[in-house]
C-alpha cells in the first residue's frame, strides 16, 4: 500500500502495462500500479491519493481489529487451560494415597499449584499466539524471497537453521535453570508454611534470628537462580537479532556482488525489495525465538505439574468393586503384615489376627510406636496391605467401593482436624444437608453445645485456622460432634483424649462413651482406665499382639498389661 502511495506522489509519468497474473512480486506490484494508473486517468491524482490513504487506514484498522479479536478469543482459552490445570491437580491431591505425601513437601505441592501454574499462564499461554502466528509470517516472507531471488535465498536458508540451533541450546539450558528455580520456590513456600505453623515455637525458643537467616538464605538462592534465568532468557532476543543482522549483511554483500557484476543476474530494484522484505523477517523471527525461550521456561513448570498429575493413585476402587451400605457381622484382620517402606524391612505390623464383631468394643493398647495407629489406618484403606487381608462382613476391603467403606466409619483422632469455618460447617462437614437441629443435637451429645451457646455468634462463630480460637478440649468435642452427626456403624478412636487436660478429658470421655453406645468401636487408648469395659483388649508391642483378653483376665495374668496398668494406677 505504501509503495503505490509513493508512486502516486513521485512517479507520475511512469506507464504500466498489464501483465498476465502470476505469483510474483513484480507482476503483482506492476498490475496494481497499472490499475492505479487507470484510476488516476479517470478520477485524477488527488482522488487516487484519497483512495490510497483510505485504503491504508482501512488496512491498519483491519489488522488491529483482528489482532484484538485474536486476543479477545485467546483470553478464555488461556484462563480456561489454567483453571482446568488447577482443578485437575486439586482433584488429584484429594485422591493420592497418604504414602505420596510422606515423600513430598507440602509447600512444594502448593508451589506447583500456584506459582508453576502461573508460570505456565505467563510463559506458554502468552507465547501461544506468537508460536502460531509468526511461523506463518516467516514462511510467507521466505517464500516471497524465494520467488524474488533463489540464489540469495539460499544464504538465508543455510544461515537461519544455524542460528536456530544456537537458540535451541539456550532454550535447553534455560529449562534446566527454570526447573531449579521453581523447585526453590517450593522450598520457599514450604518454609513460609512451616514458619506460620511454628510461630509459637520460634518465639518461645527465641529462634527468630535463626529462622530469619534460613529464610534469607533460601530467598537469596532463589534470587541467584532467577538472575541466571533472566540472563539466559534475555540472551535469546539480542542473539537472534545479531544473527539476523549477520545474515542480512551476508545477503547484502553477495547480492551487491550480483548486482554490480552487471550481468543482469539481479535487478537493483528486486535486490532492494529483497533486502526490505528480509529486514521484515527479523522481528517475527525474533519474536518467535523469544516465545520459544519462554515456552522452555514454562515447560519446566509443566513437568513439575505433570509429576503430580501422573502420580499413581494406587488406592482406588477396583474394577469389580461392590457397594456395601450396611455393616452386619464382623471385621476381620487375617495374617496382616505391613511396612511403610516396600523394601521387605521395617515391618510395622506382623501377622495380625483380629476380629471385631458388630456391637463390640475392641481396645488397642501398647507403647508409642508399637503400630496401633497403623493398624487402625488400614481399615479405611489409608494404606493398602500386601500381605494378609482385611474383611468386612466377609468382603475384602479392597473389593468394596472406597466411598462405601469409608462411609461406614467415623474417625476421631488425637489432633482434631478442623477447618477455618463456622462451628456449624465444621460439625456438618461433608454433610451439607444436615439441618440446624441435627447439628445442635450432635453437639449436645458431644458435650459441645454448652460452650458453643456461650459464644457471641453461637454456631455461626468462625473458629480460626485449624480451630485456633478454641481450646484443645473444645476442638476435640467438635470432632466428636462431627462423628455423632455422621452416625457411622463403625467408630475408630485414636487416642482421642490424650492431648487433653484432666478436666476436659472427663467431658470428652463422657461424650465418647455416649458416642460408642450401640456401635462397633476400635479404640486406641492411652489411659487404660477408659477401656476397662472393652470386650477385648489387645496389647501390642513392636507390631505384634502379645496379649489379648478381658481386663480382669489380663490383670490376673501378671503380664505386660498388668505392668502398664500398675504404672498408671500409681502415677
Ligand atoms: P502408635 O500409634 O502405636 O504409636 P504408629 O502406628 O503411629 O504407632 O507407628 C508405628 C511405627 O510406624 C513407628 O515406628 C513409626 O516410626 C512408623 N511410621 C508411622 N507412620 C509412618 C509413615 N507415614 N511412614 C513411615 N513410617 C511410619
Ligand atoms: Mg498412634
Amino acid at each position: 500500500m505504501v509503495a503505490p502511495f509513493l508512486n502516486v506522489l513521485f512517479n507520475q509519468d511512469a506507464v504500466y502495462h498489464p501483465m498476465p497474473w502470476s505469483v510474483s512480486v513484480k507482476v503483482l506490484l506492476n498490475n496494481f500500479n497499472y490499475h492505479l494508473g487507470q484510476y488516476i486517468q479517470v478520477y485524477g491524482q488527488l482522488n487516487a491519493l484519497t483512495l490510497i490513504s483510505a485504503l491504508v487506514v482501512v488496512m491498519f484498522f483491519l489488522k488491529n481489529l483482528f489482532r484484538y479479536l485474536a486476543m479477545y478469543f485467546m483470553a478464555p482459552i488461556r484462563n480456561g487451560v489454567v483453571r482446568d490445570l488447577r482443578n485437575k491437580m486439586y482433584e488429584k491431591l484429594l485422591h493420592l494415597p497418604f504414602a505420596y505425601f510422606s515423600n513430598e513437601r507440602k509447600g512444594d505441592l502448593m508451589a506447583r499449584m500456584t506459582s508453576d501454574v502461573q508460570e505456565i499462564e505467563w510463559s506458554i499461554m502468552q507465547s501461544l499466539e506468537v508460536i502460531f502466528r509468526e511461523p506463518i509470517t516467516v514462511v510467507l516472507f521466505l517464500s516471497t524471497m524465494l520467488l524474488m531471488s533463489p540464489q540469495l535465498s539460499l544464504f538465508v536458508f543455510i544461515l537461519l537453521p544455524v542460528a536456530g540451533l544456537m537458540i535451541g541450546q539456550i532454550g535447553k539450558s534455560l529449562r534446566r535453570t527454570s526447573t531449579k528455580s521453581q523447585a526453590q520456590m517450593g522450598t520457599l513456600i514450604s518454609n513460609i508454611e512451616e514458619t506460620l505453623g511454628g510461630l509459637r515455637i520460634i518465639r518461645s525458643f527465641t529462634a527468630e534470628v535463626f529462622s530469619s537467616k534460613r529464610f534469607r538464605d533460601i530467598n537469596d538462592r532463589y534470587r541467584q537462580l532467577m538472575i541466571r534465568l533472566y540472563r539466559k532468557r534475555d540472551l535469546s532476543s539480542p542473539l537472534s537479532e545479531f544473527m539476523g543482522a549477520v545474515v542480512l549483511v551476508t545477503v547484502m554483500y553477495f547480492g551487491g556482488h550480483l548486482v554490480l557484476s552487471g550481468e543482469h543476474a539481479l535487478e537493483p530494484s528486486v535486490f532492494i525489495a529483497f533486502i526490505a522484505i528480509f529486514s521484515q523477517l527479523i522481528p517475527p523471527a525474533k519474536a518467535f525465538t523469544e516465545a520459544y525461550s519462554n515456552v522452555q521456561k514454562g515447560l519446566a513448570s509443566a513437568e513439575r505439574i505433570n509429576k503430580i498429575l501422573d502420580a499413581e493413585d494406587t488406592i482406588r476402587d477396583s474394577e469389580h468393586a461392590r457397594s456395601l451400605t450396611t455393616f452386619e457381622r464382623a471385621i476381620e484382620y487375617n495374617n496382616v503384615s505391613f511396612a511403610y517402606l516396600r523394601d521387605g524391612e521395617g515391618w510395622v505390623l506382623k501377622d495380625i489376627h483380629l476380629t471385631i464383631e458388630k456391637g463390640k468394643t475392641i481396645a488397642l493398647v501398647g507403647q508409642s510406636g508399637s503400630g496401633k495407629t497403623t493398624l487402625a489406618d488400614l481399615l479405611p484403606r489409608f494404606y493398602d496391605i500386601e500381605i494378609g487381608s482385611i474383611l468386612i462382613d466377609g468382603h475384602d476391603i479392597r473389593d468394596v467401593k472406597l466411598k462405601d467403606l469409608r462411609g461406614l466409619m467415623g474417625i476421631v483422632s488425637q489432633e482434631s482436624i478442623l477447618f477455618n469455618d463456622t462451628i456449624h460447617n465444621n460439625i456438618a462437614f461433608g454433610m451439607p444437608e444436615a439441618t440446624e437441629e441435627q447439628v445442635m443435637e450432635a453437639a449436645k451429645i458431644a458435650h459441645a453445645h454448652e460452650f458453643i451457646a456461650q459464644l457471641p455468634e453461637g454456631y455461626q462463630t468462625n473458629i480460626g485456622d485449624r480451630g485456633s480460637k478454641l481450646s484443645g478440649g473444645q476442638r476435640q468435642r467438635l470432632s466428636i460432634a462431627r462423628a455423632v452427626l455422621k452416625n457411622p456403624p463403625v467408630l475408630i478412636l485414636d487416642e482421642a483424649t490424650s492431648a487433653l487436660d484432666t478436666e476436659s478429658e472427663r467431658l470428652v470421655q463422657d461424650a465418647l462413651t455416649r458416642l460408642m453406645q450401640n456401635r462397633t468401636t476400635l479404640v486406641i487408648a492411652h489411659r487404660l482406665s477408659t477401656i476397662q469395659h472393652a470386650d477385648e483388649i489387645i496389647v501390642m508391642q513392636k507390631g505384634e499382639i502379645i496379649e489379648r483378653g478381658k481386663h480382669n483376665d489380663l490383670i490376673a495374668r501378671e503380664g505386660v498389661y498388668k505392668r502398664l496398668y500398675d504404672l498408671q494406677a500409681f502415677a
Side-chain angles (χ1 to χ4, degrees):
M1 282 297 129
V2 175
F5 178 78
L6 296 176
N7 234 8
V8 170
L9 277 184
F10 302 117
N11 204 4
Q12 300 168 354
D13 309 324
V15 179
Y16 294 94
H17 302 285
M19 290 157 106
W21 287 100
S22 72
V23 190
S24 137
V25 180
K26 225 161 98 185
V27 173
L28 288 176
L29 211 58
N30 178 79
N31 282 3
F32 190 85
N33 283 337
Y34 166 75
H35 287 290
L36 192 64
Q38 300 276 298
Y39 186 89
I40 292 173
Q41 279 188 355
V42 179
Y43 298 100
Q45 273 178 339
L46 280 181
N47 277 328
L49 186 61
T50 316
L51 175 74
I52 296 279
S53 307
L55 273 179
V56 171
V57 169
V58 168
M59 286 297 179
F60 271 94
F61 176 74
L62 286 180
K63 176 186 171 183
N64 285 289
L65 176 71
F66 285 120
R67 202 172 62 161
Y68 177 69
L69 280 179
M71 309 280 231
Y72 185 90
F73 288 107
M74 283 287 283
I77 297 178
R78 290 172 65 148
N79 291 296
V81 166
V82 169
R83 176 201 60 193
D84 290 352
L85 258 184
R86 271 198 215 102
N87 279 345
K88 266 178 103 173
M89 289 170 84
Y90 186 78
E91 202 58 29
K92 190 78 189 193
L93 289 184
L94 286 180
H95 292 108
L96 278 173
F98 282 106
Y100 181 83
F101 298 98
S102 309
N103 302 320
E104 295 284 342
R105 299 173 68 120
K106 214 194 292 175
D108 194 47
L109 295 176
M110 281 159 66
R112 290 180 204 204
M113 287 202 67
T114 52
S115 90
D116 281 289
V117 172
Q118 190 71 69
E119 175 65 43
I120 289 206
E121 209 242 296
W122 280 338
S123 58
I124 298 188
M125 295 293 142
Q126 188 84 312
S127 311
L128 268 189
E129 182 207 346
V130 175
I131 285 187
F132 282 109
R133 189 189 58 198
E134 303 303 359
I136 299 178
T137 325
V138 169
V139 166
L140 277 179
F141 281 140
L142 281 179
S143 23
T144 317
M145 286 158 65
L146 198 62
L147 286 173
M148 291 170 82
S149 168
Q151 301 106 302
L152 277 186
S153 304
L154 199 62
F155 288 107
V156 179
F157 281 105
I158 291 171
L159 291 174
L160 277 190
V162 175
L165 274 180
M166 289 179 67
I167 306 278
Q169 284 304 318
I170 297 182
K172 270 190 208 152
S173 147
L174 188 72
R175 189 157 154 184
R176 280 194 298 271
T177 314
S178 183
T179 308
K180 281 189 210 153
S181 77
Q182 290 294 339
Q184 188 66 13
M185 180 42 91
T187 314
L188 191 93
I189 295 183
S190 292
N191 190 274
I192 296 173
E193 199 255 350
E194 262 173 23
T195 304
L196 290 179
L199 265 186
R200 233 166 230 282
I201 298 298
I202 292 176
R203 290 196 185 145
S204 66
F205 281 79
T206 55
E208 287 93 343
V209 176
F210 171 76
S211 297
S212 160
K213 177 169 183 326
R214 197 164 60 174
F215 184 78
R216 278 163 189 274
D217 287 347
I218 294 174
N219 201 10
D220 203 55
R221 170 92 183 118
Y222 182 68
R223 179 191 66 105
Q224 286 168 0
L225 284 169
M226 285 311 277
I227 291 177
R228 219 192 290 166
L229 186 74
Y230 276 106
R231 288 189 174 152
K232 279 183 187 172
R233 192 199 61 178
D234 295 340
L235 187 59
S236 69
S237 166
L239 188 73
S240 61
E241 183 169 324
F242 177 72
M243 307 271 256
V246 169
V247 180
L248 179 68
V249 170
T250 319
V251 167
M252 265 163 56
Y253 184 80
F254 286 101
H257 263 277
L258 285 177
V259 173
L260 291 178
S261 67
E263 289 163 13
H264 291 286
L266 189 65
E267 299 219 6
S269 63
V270 175
F271 177 54
I272 290 170
F274 187 91
I275 298 292
I277 292 186
F278 185 82
S279 61
Q280 290 296 300
L281 184 70
I282 293 179
K286 212 173 81 179
F288 185 75
T289 50
E290 230 174 85
Y292 174 79
S293 301
N294 271 330
V295 167
Q296 290 294 327
K297 193 159 151 272
L299 281 181
S301 288
E303 271 168 27
R304 280 164 52 79
I305 288 174
N306 276 338
K307 281 228 177 86
I308 293 187
L309 293 182
D310 294 344
E312 215 182 334
D313 52 353
T314 42
I315 300 188
R316 54 168 172 228
D317 286 343
S318 66
E319 278 158 33
H320 45 275
R322 55 162 59 239
S323 87
L324 189 74
T325 48
T326 57
F327 172 57
E328 301 294 345
R329 297 196 307 278
I331 294 167
E332 294 161 69
Y333 283 64
N334 290 323
N335 294 54
V336 172
S337 296
F338 177 79
Y340 283 102
L341 304 170
R342 299 277 148 92
D343 55 5
E345 309 240 340
W347 294 105
V348 175
L349 294 176
K350 282 169 254 173
D351 205 22
I352 301 289
H353 279 271
L354 185 62
T355 305
I356 311 169
E357 278 169 33
K358 185 177 164 127
K360 299 274 157 99
T361 296
I362 305 291
L364 292 177
V365 301
Q367 283 171 343
S368 162
S370 56
K372 306 178 298 288
T373 300
T374 308
L375 190 135
D377 278 352
L378 295 181
L379 194 51
R381 280 187 78 193
F382 288 163
Y383 299 91
D384 259 349
I385 46 172
E386 283 176 356
I387 300 178
S389 62
I390 301 176
L391 308 180
I392 181 162
D393 281 352
H395 310 296
D396 194 307
I397 55 170
R398 284 167 292 193
D399 298 331
V400 175
K401 286 199 179 122
L402 260 186
K403 198 170 178 329
D404 290 350
L405 179 72
R406 291 179 184 164
L408 292 175
M409 297 168 195
I411 300 176
V412 181
S413 53
Q414 181 172 347
E415 59 221 273
S416 19
I417 315 273
L418 298 173
F419 299 94
N420 190 339
D421 204 339
T422 61
I423 289 185
H424 176 98
N425 288 345
N426 267 290
I427 296 181
F429 188 74
M431 288 161 284
E433 69 283 353
T435 64
E436 256 172 63
E437 288 74 43
Q438 286 171 318
V439 168
M440 205 179 284
E441 195 54 41
K444 278 181 184 157
I445 294 175
H447 276 311
H449 180 74
E450 300 79 22
F451 86 82
I452 298 171
Q454 280 170 15
L455 292 170
E457 287 170 80
Y459 283 81
Q460 295 308 319
T461 311
N462 183 294
I463 59 170
D465 266 2
R466 295 161 188 237
S468 59
K469 294 185 195 162
L470 301 177
S471 79
Q474 292 171 334
R475 269 181 256 161
Q476 198 60 312
R477 279 177 276 162
L478 283 195
S479 309
I480 294 171
R482 184 155 69 193
V484 172
L485 186 64
K486 185 180 179 186
N487 194 19
V490 180
L491 199 60
I492 299 173
L493 305 176
D494 188 354
E495 311 205 4
T497 60
S498 62
L500 306 178
D501 55 277
T502 327
E503 170 61 16
S504 40
E505 180 175 356
R506 204 179 48 73
L507 278 174
V508 170
Q509 189 55 51
D510 206 42
L512 284 175
T513 313
R514 291 197 208 177
L515 178 60
M516 284 156 67
Q517 272 162 19
N518 310 319
R519 256 181 255 271
T520 313
T521 312
L522 182 64
V523 52
I524 298 175
H526 139 88
R527 202 172 294 282
L528 302 186
S529 57
T530 57
I531 48 129
Q532 287 176 15
H533 305 292
D535 296 290
E536 188 179 23
I537 297 171
I538 307 274
V539 186
M540 296 192 59
Q541 195 172 57
K542 293 186 182 151
E544 285 173 299
I545 298 179
I546 51 167
E547 281 176 22
R548 62 204 305 167
K550 293 233 181 225
H551 175 74
N552 291 337
D553 302 340
L554 288 173
I555 291 291
R557 206 198 259 183
E558 298 276 335
V560 175
Y561 181 79
K562 170 83 163 70
R563 215 164 55 234
L564 284 172
Y565 185 77
D566 287 346
L567 274 176
Q568 288 193 359
F570 298 113

